[in-house]
Amino acid sequence: MNDEVIMRDFDAFRKLVGLDELRLERLRVAGEWLRPKVAEITDTFYERLLADPTTAAFLDGKIEHLKKVHHTWIEDILSGVYDESFFVRQIKIGKAHVTNQVPPLFLASGFSILRVLLFDQIESAAKLNQPDTCPRCSRALGRLLDACQFLIDRSYEQDRLNRVSKATGMSLPLIEALVMLKQQPG
Amino acid sequence: MREELIQSVLFDLNGGSADIEASAIISTDGLTIGSALSSTMDEARVGAMAAAMLSLGERTATELARGDLEQVMIKGDNGYILLIHAGPEAVLSVIVRKEAKLGLVFLDASRAAKAAAGLL
Ligand code: HEM
Ligand code: HEM
């Protein structure tokens, strides 16, 4: 399973979750509201991660560096540009976490925390500004985060298959064929 | 054309020995290139398993410094399964009766593997 295959699946996924022009426009609106808040969001993100002893232990000694890295990513998802290279970048980000042995559970909780933080910000921004400018921006942002999480998660799956392939000498197409065999009853 | 020639290699192999019940040529990715299997055998399943066994056999032989893999033999109380490389990209899988004289089967199978490799 290479990047091309991931992107082919992803195109189907993008259609299914409906990241169409309307939603992309809503994302651009949400981005404008949220961009000034990225530092605050990143700070709170880290407060939450550091409140948990397992993630805190993992982050120990790397916080300053990682905070910058994650600040940049939040800016990126709010940039308003969601072309193919944006999504290919998410695949690379998945690989970076695999390489750095970030447990998949940490990413799942990271995404969960970040969703809540971003939605809270949109809610308060909507209260302060024009309440009816973008009532559905949170939903569009939710769709984008789902898409990013899907692509990042696929790297973990791909990494496991690559490891099986390396250990056994079986090619990736062979492993795929074994996975796709009809289940025998019992 | 190539498939037919491979098929004929397999029919010759099965026909030439009463000890051989079935045989197939499978790509190292597990796809069946040609087969003379009985109707109860699932081609996709046999193919994927044979290719997997060959890969594991190869890896194990290397890991334990046994050199290049020549064959994998599986023995059950109902007979044998023999796997031999047919060129670098394929494997000949032969299903053998339990009463078989293995020396002769090995010989026939090696010859068939070589013939099939020449066609691939
Ligand atoms: C939010 C995502 C989804 C959730 C939480 C969900 C949940 C469930 C649950 C609870 C069951 C019953 C499992 C059981 O029998 O114990 C089920 C069955 C099933 N789901 Fe989903 N599902 C989801 C999405 C989908 C989608 C998108 C499809 C296909 C387009 C799908 C197709 C099926 C099928 C075919 C069954 C088996 C039904 C049967 O027993 O005949 N699911 N799902
Ligand atoms: C919302 C979920 C997350 C996103 C979207 C995200 C995003 C990113 C990005 C964009 C990078 C840079 C990748 C690159 O170098 O190409 C990165 C690196 C990294 N992230 Fe995350 N991250 C998330 C959650 C986490 C969590 C929860 C942890 C740990 C608790 C973590 C640990 C790391 C580490 C260790 C690196 C490698 C940094 C380096 O040394 O360059 N990430 N992440």
Side-chain angles (χ1 to χ4, degrees):
Chain A
M1 200 171 32
N2 51 30
D3 295 358
E4 202 180 292
V5 176
I6 293 180
M7 282 312 287
R8 195 188 58 211
D9 286 2
F10 176 72
D11 277 339
F13 173 78
R14 181 159 50 183
K15 276 206 190 92
L16 266 175
V17 299
L19 273 180
D20 56 17
E21 264 316 306
L22 179 66
R23 272 62 171 254
L24 293 177
E25 187 46 40
R26 286 179 184 152
L27 281 173
R28 286 177 201 117
V29 174
E32 264 163 47
W33 284 355
L34 292 172
R35 273 198 295 276
K37 303 273 184 189
V38 173
E40 187 189 331
I41 294 168
T42 312
D43 282 345
T44 319
F45 182 57
Y46 270 78
E47 268 168 35
R48 299 280 160 81
L49 289 178
L50 293 170
D52 180 276
T54 47
T55 34
F58 185 89
L59 291 167
D60 192 36
K62 315 182 253 241
I63 296 172
E64 282 319 305
H65 167 63
L66 283 179
K67 227 172 153 174
K68 280 193 202 114
V69 167
H70 291 133
H71 181 284
T72 307
W73 184 77
I74 299 170
E75 275 181 338
D76 193 29
I77 57 162
L78 300 173
S79 71
V81 182
Y82 311 105
D83 52 8
E84 183 157 325
S85 76
F86 172 86
F87 294 109
V88 170
R89 219 152 45 236
Q90 307 311 312
I91 299 172
K92 300 223 171 75
I93 291 167
K95 287 180 184 158
H97 289 93
V98 169
T99 309
N100 284 281
Q101 298 182 3
V102 182
L105 185 66
F106 287 6
L107 273 160
S109 46
F111 266 104
S112 172
I113 293 166
L114 208 57
R115 261 190 202 85
V116 172
L117 292 179
L118 289 167
F119 291 0
D120 282 354
Q121 287 287 348
I122 289 186
E123 228 172 81
S124 41
K127 272 184 202 140
L128 291 176
N129 297 299
Q130 312 95 324
D132 52 2
T133 310
C134 189
R136 290 170 179 264
C137 283
S138 289
R139 298 177 184 207
L141 196 55
R143 287 170 190 267
L144 183 72
L145 289 172
D146 285 347
C148 292
Q149 193 170 3
F150 170 76
L151 291 171
I152 291 173
D153 282 349
R154 290 290 292 265
S155 294
Y156 283 91
E157 186 191 346
Q158 190 175 3
D159 179 62
R160 293 178 78 83
L161 294 177
N162 286 341
R163 282 164 191 268
V164 171
S165 177
K166 280 216 183 79
T168 61
M170 291 188 237
S171 67
L172 289 173
L174 172 57
I175 293 170
E176 189 60 24
L178 288 163
V179 169
M180 296 308 289
L181 283 180
K182 273 194 235 95
Q183 300 261 326
Q184 271 179 332
Chain B
M1 186 61 194
R2 191 188 70 162
E3 280 74 17
E4 280 163 29
L5 289 172
I6 288 200
Q7 207 68 34
S8 77
V9 169
L10 296 175
F11 283 131
D12 286 352
L13 176 65
N14 295 10
S17 163
D19 289 335
I20 295 177
E21 281 183 33
S23 60
I25 294 278
I26 294 143
S27 78
T28 45
D29 288 343
L31 295 172
T32 304
I33 300 167
S35 74
L37 298 171
S38 83
S39 58
T40 56
M41 293 171 185
D42 178 339
E43 218 175 64
R45 196 168 279 283
V46 172
M49 283 183 196
M53 286 297 305
L54 191 82
S55 292
L56 282 169
E58 225 155 34
R59 203 35 75 92
T60 313
T62 309
E63 194 70 35
L64 301 176
R66 297 304 94 179
D68 288 341
L69 182 80
E70 285 179 18
Q71 64 196 30
V72 175
M73 194 189 74
I74 300 158
K75 184 172 186 285
D77 61 10
N78 209 20
Y80 306 85
I81 300 142
L82 191 64
L83 305 169
I84 306 178
H85 256 300
E89 304 290 332
V91 49
L92 169 67
S93 169
V94 186
I95 294 155
V96 184
R97 260 182 256 287
K98 69 172 169 187
E99 304 82 6
K101 293 189 183 62
L102 283 180
L104 288 177
V105 173
F106 283 145
L107 214 64
D108 289 345
S110 302
R111 210 173 290 140
K114 214 170 272 165
L119 296 168
L120 290 169

